[in-house]
Amino acid sequence: MTSSSTLITIRPLVPADWPGVWTVLQATFQAGDTYAFAPESSESEIHKAWVELPAATFVACGAEGQLLGTYFIKPNQTGLGAHVCNCGYVVAPAAQGQGVASLMCEHSQQQAVAMGFRAMQFNLVVASNVRAVRLWQHLGFAVAGTLPGAFRHHTLGYVDAHVMFKTLVA
């Protein structure tokens, strides 16, 4: 998928992308304010979680090929819940506020339907991450529930987290 207006290309991750993806993920997870991964997670742990376990992993690249963001898609549950997918998105700090997350989410919904998923669920959207909550709602996701104090924010302490859901196929 290429967005002509912003010259962003979203494509499957290839092994050569990993060093850049790891740098972006490591910085995001070390911040301790949006993802439940332990800030001290090793590269091999994150590679397994972001690349090996998901059904697919993608990167968003700018016009010169620079890494702007990445996302994964996987079944949210096994067996009888495998028709609902889960995704995780991270945007490079220099690319934030440029619509990259929105493009990746739209791309992931198309991929989800193509892969046979009927719905998408985000399990732990940190309530203090107001930009993300607002973006997911703008893209049609609803807060299905709020988990009180479910996220241990690096600076704010225990904050609520939302489970967000969107039906993709009726």
Side-chain angles (χ1 to χ4, degrees):
M1 172 183 189
T2 301
S3 172
S4 59
S5 63
T6 57
L7 299 174
I8 296 172
T9 300
I10 300 176
R11 61 167 175 75
L13 176 135
V14 297
D17 295 323
W18 177 249
V21 168
W22 165 240
T23 299
V24 170
L25 295 178
Q26 184 180 34
T28 300
F29 301 157
Q30 283 181 344
D33 58 358
T34 58
Y35 268 88
F37 291 106
E40 66 278 1
S41 295
S42 71
E43 182 175 357
S44 63
E45 290 170 325
I46 298 304
H47 188 274
K48 183 175 184 176
W50 203 266
V51 178
E52 297 171 38
L53 294 178
T57 304
F58 293 85
V59 292
C61 299
E64 277 79 54
Q66 70 276 27
L67 179 73
L68 302 177
T70 180
Y71 82 86
F72 69 77
I73 186 169
K74 65 181 182 179
N76 193 53
Q77 298 292 326
T78 59
L80 301 179
H83 60 285
V84 177
C85 70
N86 173 259
C87 294
Y89 311 85
V90 172
V91 175
Q96 291 180 0
Q98 299 176 26
V100 177
S102 181
L103 285 172
M104 289 194 302
C105 186
E106 290 169 351
H107 183 269
S108 69
Q109 291 176 64
Q110 294 168 6
Q111 288 298 309
V113 171
M115 295 169 76
F117 293 109
R118 300 180 56 79
M120 188 175 287
Q121 179 174 319
F122 303 148
N123 298 321
L124 197 77
V125 181
V126 180
S128 61
N129 188 354
V130 177
R131 284 178 56 189
V133 173
R134 194 175 311 132
L135 175 60
W136 304 149
Q137 289 175 324
H138 175 74
L139 293 173
F141 290 81
V143 174
T146 299
L147 310 169
F151 183 80
R152 189 167 36 99
H153 193 282
H154 178 69
T155 57
L156 301 176
Y158 294 99
V159 298
D160 296 349
H162 301 305
V163 175
M164 299 187 77
F165 188 87
K166 180 178 182 179
T167 299
L168 302 174
V169 178

